Amino acid sequence: MADRQTPRYHAVVLGQLDAIATSQAERLEEAAQVVFATMRGDGLLHVFGSGHSHALAEEAFHRAGGLVPVNIIQEAFLTPLTRPDLSGRLERVSGLAALILDGHDLRAGEVLLVISNSGINAVPLEVALEGKRRGLTVIALTSLRHSRAVPPRHSSGKRLFEVADIVLDTCGEPGDAAVAYPGLPGRVAPTSLLAGSYIINSLVCRVVELFLASGLTPPVYVSANLPEGDEHNGPLEAKYRGRIRGL
């Protein structure tokens, strides 16, 4: 029997998470401070992701162990729920961002997290620009290595990391796929969702720590599949139901 080897993806992912923990600590702290300041004042963290990045927006929203004051901004036509040959092209169309954001109660002084691995397509870039125009602090969750390796698709010549107030880098490979095999053109096994989830939940933990350090109770969901979940979550959701469209 051949010796078992550590799976290549395992090694790649552990290395990437270590890189994030080392290189993104300062930016994560900065992001946590602005999210905490917003939530302490009863404001919201708004989260947007198109393409596969919509899954990361969902990770931040209405999640057991997650923060309650999170408003997800998502449209099915920008995700793989719509056939990819259409949704992928719509992600590149200018002029949609303001229309999308008009359907949500975004207020100056709040925080908008825009998630895009490449950071080059029109919709996430314009969501960030429109959020800044409306007075929100914009945090980008993106792969700097990928974004810097490819030309922008937006008429401004900008990429997401170039317009955001705070940039959180997933430390991913250009093209997202991260595992190479001899003789195989290209790579396999993307990392953006796993790395992005790690960053989002690291941010959640730090925001909770800031609440506790201030003597405040953090607004955190308990799993609805635990006996106490509904009783705990009900009053928290009632506080924000008028502002969070998905509740």
Side-chain angles (χ1 to χ4, degrees), residues 53-132:
S53 294
H54 88 283
L56 281 173
E58 292 178 4
E59 177 68 16
F61 174 69
H62 204 269
R63 193 77 164 89
L67 295 163
V68 176
V70 175
N71 175 55
I72 189 169
I73 301 170
Q74 63 175 358
E75 302 293 340
F77 68 84
L78 290 172
T79 77
L81 296 173
T82 297
R83 70 177 200 267
D85 65 323
L86 176 59
S87 61
R89 292 171 66 184
L90 288 172
E91 188 181 18
R92 305 179 187 184
V93 175
S94 292
L96 297 177
L99 296 174
I100 292 169
L101 295 186
D102 282 345
H104 297 265
D105 184 3
L106 279 71
R107 300 180 184 180
E110 294 185 330
V111 182
L112 172 61
L113 174 62
V114 181
I115 307 164
S116 174
N117 189 63
S118 70
I120 63 172
N121 288 311
V123 173
L125 180 78
E126 291 182 359
V127 165
L129 290 171
E130 183 66 18
K132 292 185 71 172

Side-chain angles (χ1 to χ4, degrees), residues 13 75 146 167 196 240:
V13 165
E75 302 293 340
H146 182 126
V167 178
Y240 299 101

Side-chain angles (χ1 to χ4, degrees), residues 12 32 37 90 93 114 134 136 157 167 181 221 228 245:
V12 167
L90 288 172
V93 175
V114 181
R134 298 184 187 202
L136 284 79
V167 178
Y181 291 95
Y221 274 111
E228 68 273 23
R245 198 174 77 172

